[in-house]
Amino acid sequence: TVKESTAYDSFIGWLAQQTPQSLREQFPGADIPTVDELRGTLQALALQQATQLYSSEKYGSALAAGVTARLSTGAQMANSHRDYCGIGLAINGSIFVMAEVQDGYLETTLRTWATADEFKAWLAVQSDFAQSGFDPATGLLDAWLQGNQRITRQRLNDFVAAGGNEGTGRKDQAQGAKQKRKKGRI
């Protein structure tokens, strides 16, 4: 099926061919913003939309304790499908780990905590907004990663309740590691 071009597509195609210099030449006297000004305006707009979309309510100590207890059983919170699967949580020995997930496996470690108390204290003060990737205080992420399978209150609640497809037990982890070794990934 061929997708028909829209006015937006035409504009984006035209815009991609322009430079600030060519725009100044085409529209003399116009106030043409710089790339940095455009980037700043777009980031401000994205931040405004994100604050409306993602809650800033802290997860709290009760949910943090539930997640910590579930991770301590060997379960991991990770989406499992092909390619990029977002952000997951697990415990490795006694170290709590937050990592990017690829193909259902925690691959790229983003942060670790040495103790359950450290992890629980950190998670209790997090929020959907803080974990969304839009929060300037936690470091802005690439636009593709923002809001893309991030840690959310809903995922954490589902994980604690052992609902949805969140989490695997030790038996499943061992079986997954065995399959991964067969693929040559470990």
Side-chain angles (χ1 to χ4, degrees):
T1 306
V2 176
K3 179 183 170 192
E4 290 189 35
S5 180
T6 65
Y8 175 80
D9 295 329
S10 298
F11 173 73
I12 293 299
W14 172 83
L15 189 60
Q17 297 172 8
Q18 306 307 309
T19 66
Q21 181 61 35
S22 70
L23 290 173
R24 282 188 200 92
E25 290 169 3
Q26 291 177 50
F27 306 101
D31 184 19
I32 307 294
T34 66
V35 171
D36 288 338
E37 290 170 333
L38 286 172
R39 184 175 289 120
T41 300
L42 288 172
Q43 285 177 342
L45 179 60
L47 179 60
Q48 178 186 9
Q49 291 176 334
T51 57
Q52 295 170 0
L53 186 61
Y54 298 101
S55 171
S56 293
E57 180 186 350
K58 307 288 185 232
Y59 293 146
S61 57
L63 181 55
V67 171
T68 303
R70 179 96 197 280
L71 289 171
S72 295
T73 68
Q76 67 177 9
M77 186 180 89
N79 290 331
S80 183
H81 54 76
R82 188 173 160 226
D83 300 323
Y84 179 75
C85 302
I87 304 300
L89 298 170
I91 190 169
N92 185 1
S94 63
I95 306 294
F96 288 79
V97 177
M98 178 171 69
E100 282 189 0
V101 181
Q102 290 284 339
D103 298 325
Y105 297 100
L106 279 76
E107 299 267 335
T108 306
T109 299
L110 301 172
R111 187 162 181 177
T112 61
W113 297 266
T115 68
D117 287 340
E118 288 175 7
F119 173 73
K120 199 181 325 177
W122 172 82
L123 188 59
V125 298
Q126 298 305 302
S127 67
D128 287 355
F129 180 67
Q131 290 301 303
S132 70
F134 286 98
D135 186 356
T138 59
L140 293 174
L141 297 175
D142 176 271
W144 186 78
L145 296 173
Q146 292 175 334
N148 188 351
Q149 303 174 78
R150 311 293 300 173
I151 294 171
T152 64
R153 179 181 306 279
Q154 184 64 53
R155 282 188 69 201
L156 294 169
N157 281 324
D158 288 349
F159 177 68
V160 170
N165 64 354
E166 294 287 359
T168 58
R170 291 175 192 231
K171 180 180 175 186
D172 292 338
Q173 285 176 333
Q175 189 174 25
K178 185 177 178 181
Q179 289 172 345
K180 202 172 180 184
R181 275 197 275 323
K182 285 182 182 178
K183 292 180 180 178
R185 295 182 70 184
I186 292 185

